[in-house]
């Protein structure tokens, strides 16, 4: 299965960061959908299948952690790789995020879009 078969959901309230990630991932051949906040993402995961979810932690309406907790309860999403992006990594319990929510990676802002792309590629190759 190539990257073009992989659908990535980016959940980011910053338009600049969302567009930057979308361009990076589309250049690598991924199909990309953007959700502007946790509520929008929650709606999208209930109506479409995503291979990887990249989510910001601090968002209006629903945080990235809250979104992940809800997503993990959906059938078909228990093992979907989730990558967390945050400006406040020191406030997150990385071990809990990994153990309880199966977060594949956490990136601190500012981050390298290339590193996020690599983490996604590693995640999808692990589930291939």
């Amino acid at each position: 299965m190539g990257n073009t078969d992989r659908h990535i959901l980016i959940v980011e309230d910053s338009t600049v960061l969302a567009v930057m990630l979308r361009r990076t991932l589309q250049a690598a051949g991924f199909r990309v959908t953007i959700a502007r906040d946790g509520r929008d993402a929650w709606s999208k995961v209930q109506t479409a299948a995503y291979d990887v979810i990249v989510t910001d932690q601090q968002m209006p309406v629903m945080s990235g952690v809250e979104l992940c907790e809800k997503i993990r309860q959906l059938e078909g999403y228990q093992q979907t790789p989730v990558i967390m992006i945050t400006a406040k990594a020191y406030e997150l319990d990385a071990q809990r995020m990994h153990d309880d929510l199966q977060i594949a990676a956490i990136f601190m802002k500012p981050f390298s879009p290339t590193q996020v792309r690599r983490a996604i590629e590693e995640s999808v190759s692990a589930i291939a």
Side-chain angles (χ1 to χ4, degrees):
M1 185 178 276
N3 287 351
T4 56
D5 299 322
R6 301 297 188 163
H7 196 180
I8 312 299
L9 177 62
I10 297 170
V11 189
E12 175 59 65
D13 59 321
S14 164
T15 302
V16 172
L17 289 179
V19 168
M20 178 183 61
L21 283 168
R22 181 181 65 206
R23 287 182 181 159
T24 299
L25 297 174
Q26 286 177 332
F30 292 103
R31 288 185 304 129
V32 178
T33 297
I34 295 175
R36 298 291 178 204
D37 60 40
R39 183 183 311 155
D40 185 22
W42 178 240
S43 175
K44 288 180 182 339
V45 298
Q46 293 179 79
T47 59
Y50 298 95
D51 297 292
V52 178
I53 298 169
V54 179
T55 183
D56 188 12
Q57 162 51 16
Q58 285 186 281
M59 297 180 290
V61 184
M62 183 186 308
S63 74
V65 170
E66 292 167 330
L67 174 63
C68 289
E69 289 170 345
K70 290 181 78 148
I71 286 172
R72 289 299 183 219
Q73 296 173 21
L74 283 177
E75 187 168 332
Y77 279 101
Q78 289 84 15
Q79 302 302 318
T80 300
V82 174
I83 295 171
M84 183 78 64
I85 297 170
T86 182
K88 298 185 176 186
Y90 59 88
E91 292 181 4
L92 296 177
D93 181 343
Q95 191 64 47
R96 176 192 173 268
M97 303 290 286
H98 177 73
D99 293 347
D100 295 350
L101 299 174
Q102 295 86 45
I103 301 297
I106 298 173
F107 288 93
M108 179 73 170
K109 292 179 183 179
F111 58 89
S112 161
T114 302
Q115 288 179 316
V116 174
R117 186 208 64 205
R118 284 188 198 130
I120 290 170
E121 289 171 341
E122 289 171 12
S123 293
V124 296
S125 66
I127 58 173

